[in-house]
């Protein structure tokens, strides 16, 4: 039987170590979750979600890792070790963790430039993400992609042009349909991109061809520094597909996101065509590192969301109140994550930058070496696949 130790403080100042068996914990519990608003659907996802102890600890570990990684990125940026664009994901962790829990590793995902969390949930190591942010050779894109351009198998980035990933996601879904592999493509965009014309062109084609595409609007209430009310005549983003069914989901609850994504994936796999999901979420940082994030919203607003709706605290409190884990367990997980992130940061700051001769590599796939024109006639650059 597995045991772990709990340190219990005594009034005398000494500490007593008590062994506690994992058998003492509730292995599984069912929770009431917020009902989704639906559009052109007879029924929506379930209003109850079952969580096992192992799942709960896994979701906690994923969300806490993303949180710590983003806070480390913030620190490295302020030290001027990370430069350029850097859009952080802290506050929105339940979206990435919940989506990944409901799809298969062989399914596909494409997102905008707030991509660090999804890069991690799609299987990339923390050290490769941080090394990419610092522009080092060991980064996931060999130091040449940076914050907005990270990729992994079945993960298509990281896209810097607002809304441009949505037609690409529809194209990936077309490939899934063409190949008949029963896979889906999760195509993410923000509320700031939701008024782009190319979204509606993609919606139209996806609906016409019944593509297995889950279009997800991560509505974090602000597109850059503009609130959704000031930017959109209709803020019901889940209804924006018009002829495409839609769901509005509590994006701060990992269980809500998981159940809704499972529902949406089943919808797509059954041949009913695309579906639009709106995840109501919130970012704690500004739009990017150059935005302090408090000129268009108050510090009190941010603090209220942190205290009442934080996705990590919500999951942790659920598990503790249902005797699914101990406070000490969460502390141990936190310590292990901090250590892993610290080691990753050490790697990301000590790994060498890619040499100049590798600048043009990988322009094409599986091509013979190719001479690349530089900025002047003496530049001798080569691209090796």
């Amino acid at each position: 039987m597995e045991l772990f130790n709990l340190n219990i403080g005594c009034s005398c100042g000494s500490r007593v170590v008590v062994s506690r068996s994992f058998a003492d914990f509730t292995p599984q519990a069912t929770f009431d979750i917020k009902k989704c608003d639906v559009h052109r659907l007879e029924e929506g996802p379930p209003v109850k979600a079952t969580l096992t102890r192992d799942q709960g600890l896994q979701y906690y570990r994923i969300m806490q890792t993303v949180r710590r990684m983003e806070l480390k990125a913030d620190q490295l940026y302020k030290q001027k070790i990370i430069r350029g664009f850097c859009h952080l994901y802290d506050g929105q962790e339940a979206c990435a963790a919940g989506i990944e829990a409901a799809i298969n590793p062989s399914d596909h995902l494409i997102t905008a430039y707030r991509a660090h969390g999804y890069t991690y949930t799609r299987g990339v190591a923390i050290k490769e993400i941080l090394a990419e942010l610092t522009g080092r050779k060991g980064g996931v894109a060999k130091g040449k992609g940076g914050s907005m351009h990270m990729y992994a198998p079945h993960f298509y980035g990281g896209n810097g042009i607002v809304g441009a990933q949505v037609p690409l996601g529809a194209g990936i879904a077309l490939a899934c349909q063409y190949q008949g592999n029963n896979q889906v493509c999760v195509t993410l965009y923000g509320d700031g991109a939701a008024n782009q014309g190319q979204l509606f062109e993609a919606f139209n084609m996806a609906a016409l061809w019944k593509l297995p595409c889950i279009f997800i609007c991560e509505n974090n209430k602000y597109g850059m520094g503009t609130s959704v009310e000031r930017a959109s005549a209709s803020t019901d983003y889940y209804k924006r597909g018009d002829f495409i069914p839609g769901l509005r989901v509590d994006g701060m609850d990992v269980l809500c996101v998981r159940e809704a994504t499972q529902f949406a994936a089943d919808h797509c796999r059954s041949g009913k065509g695309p579906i639009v999901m709106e995840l109501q979420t919130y970012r704690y940082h500004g739009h990017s590192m150059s935005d302090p994030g408090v000129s268009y919203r108050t510090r009190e607003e941010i603090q209220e969301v942190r205290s009442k709706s934080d996705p990590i605290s919500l999951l942790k409190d659920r598990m503790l109140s249902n005797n699914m884990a101990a406070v000490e367990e969460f502390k141990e997980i936190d310590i292990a994550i901090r250590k892993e992130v610290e080691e990753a940061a050490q790697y990301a700051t000590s790994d060498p930058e890619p040499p100049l001769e590798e600048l043009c590599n990988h322009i094409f796939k599986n091509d013979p070496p190719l001479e690349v024109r530089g900025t002047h006639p003496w530049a001798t650059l080569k691209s090796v696949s």
Side-chain angles (χ1 to χ4, degrees):
M1 182 181 288
E2 290 183 276
L3 301 170
F4 72 97
N5 293 326
L6 296 182
N7 288 312
I8 299 170
C10 296
S11 56
C12 58
S14 64
R15 299 190 77 78
V16 181
V17 176
V18 181
S19 288
R20 186 169 170 186
S21 161
F22 286 127
D24 294 344
F25 293 117
T26 308
Q28 185 173 302
T30 301
F31 299 95
D32 292 325
I33 55 174
K34 188 177 175 184
K35 187 179 181 184
C36 295
D37 297 319
V38 297
H39 170 66
R40 293 180 78 106
L41 288 165
E42 288 179 14
E43 59 177 357
V47 290
K48 288 184 181 294
T50 300
L51 179 72
T52 67
R53 176 183 141 79
D54 287 346
Q55 286 173 338
L57 292 173
Q58 181 193 4
Y59 301 161
Y60 179 85
R61 197 174 283 112
I62 290 168
M63 292 195 290
Q64 190 68 283
T65 300
V66 172
R67 175 75 54 91
R68 286 280 145 216
M69 182 175 73
E70 294 298 61
L71 293 177
K72 179 54 73 175
D74 169 272
Q75 187 186 346
L76 293 171
Y77 199 97
K78 286 169 178 167
Q79 292 171 353
K80 298 187 176 178
I81 296 168
I82 296 172
R83 301 292 189 117
F85 292 106
C86 187
H87 307 83
L88 301 182
Y89 199 68
D90 51 321
Q92 300 183 207
E93 296 91 350
C95 300
I99 289 168
E100 194 60 46
I103 61 173
N104 304 320
S106 57
D107 287 321
H108 309 268
L109 191 143
I110 186 168
T111 188
Y113 38 76
R114 201 177 302 281
H116 309 161
Y118 290 102
T119 309
Y120 177 71
T121 56
R122 289 266 87 186
V124 177
I126 307 168
K127 70 176 197 174
E128 290 185 42
I129 296 170
L130 290 181
E132 191 56 45
L133 290 172
T134 57
R136 307 305 170 101
K137 199 174 178 180
V140 62
K142 304 187 188 301
K144 295 187 283 187
S147 172
M148 302 192 289
H149 304 288
M150 301 187 195
Y151 310 92
H154 307 294
F155 174 58
Y156 305 82
N159 290 269
I161 298 173
V162 175
Q165 72 279 7
V166 178
L168 295 178
I172 296 164
L174 174 61
C176 294
Q177 185 191 65
Y178 186 77
Q179 292 172 2
N181 55 24
N182 202 34
Q183 293 168 2
V184 299
C185 181
V186 175
T187 302
L188 293 127
Y189 58 98
D191 52 279
N195 299 317
Q196 285 265 328
Q198 56 187 327
L199 262 78
F200 299 95
E201 295 176 48
F203 285 176
N204 184 56
M205 293 175 85
L208 272 175
W209 297 342
K210 287 191 163 32
L211 301 181
C213 193
I214 308 172
F215 294 105
I216 300 184
C217 175
E218 287 185 286
N219 176 7
N220 61 21
K221 311 286 191 290
Y222 298 93
M224 297 189 72
T226 307
S227 68
V228 291
E229 293 80 13
R230 291 179 58 222
S232 295
S234 165
T235 57
D236 291 337
Y237 295 106
Y238 72 111
K239 293 181 179 177
R240 291 286 202 89
D242 187 12
F243 35 77
I244 299 175
L247 298 168
R248 181 158 60 194
V249 184
D250 180 357
M252 300 300 269
D253 182 349
V254 68
L255 296 184
C256 278
V257 177
R258 184 191 72 181
E259 294 303 310
T261 307
Q262 184 68 63
F263 177 91
D266 291 344
H267 175 96
C268 290
R269 291 191 217 278
S270 66
K272 293 177 185 172
I275 190 166
V276 175
M277 268 170 64
E278 176 189 346
L279 302 181
Q280 291 188 307
T281 184
Y282 198 84
R283 57 170 161 78
Y284 294 155
H285 265 85
H287 169 73
S288 68
M289 284 300 295
S290 58
D291 166 25
V294 288
S295 58
Y296 49 87
R297 58 182 185 175
T298 62
R299 291 183 194 277
E300 289 73 30
E301 178 186 307
I302 303 166
Q303 197 49 49
E304 187 180 6
V305 176
R306 274 186 186 276
S307 60
K308 292 182 180 175
S309 308
D310 184 76
I312 299 173
S313 301
L314 181 66
L315 176 65
K316 182 179 176 180
D317 292 346
R318 265 186 180 147
M319 292 187 71
L320 290 173
S321 60
N322 284 270
N323 191 38
M324 295 179 80
V327 172
E328 272 71 19
E329 263 187 292
F330 288 118
K331 284 182 182 171
E332 283 176 18
I333 291 170
D334 292 350
I335 290 165
I337 289 169
R338 281 173 191 255
K339 183 172 182 284
E340 190 182 359
V341 170
E342 205 52 56
E343 287 171 357
Q346 288 291 325
Y347 174 79
T349 50
S350 59
D351 194 50
E353 292 183 359
L356 183 63
E357 56 268 22
E358 288 184 14
L359 178 69
C360 297
N361 286 359
H362 310 106
I363 292 176
F364 297 105
K365 182 179 183 289
N366 297 335
D367 259 22
L370 169 83
E371 285 203 359
V372 179
R373 187 175 66 185
T375 52
H376 55 76
W378 306 278
T380 53
L381 297 167
K382 263 203 167 65
S383 175
V384 180
S385 298

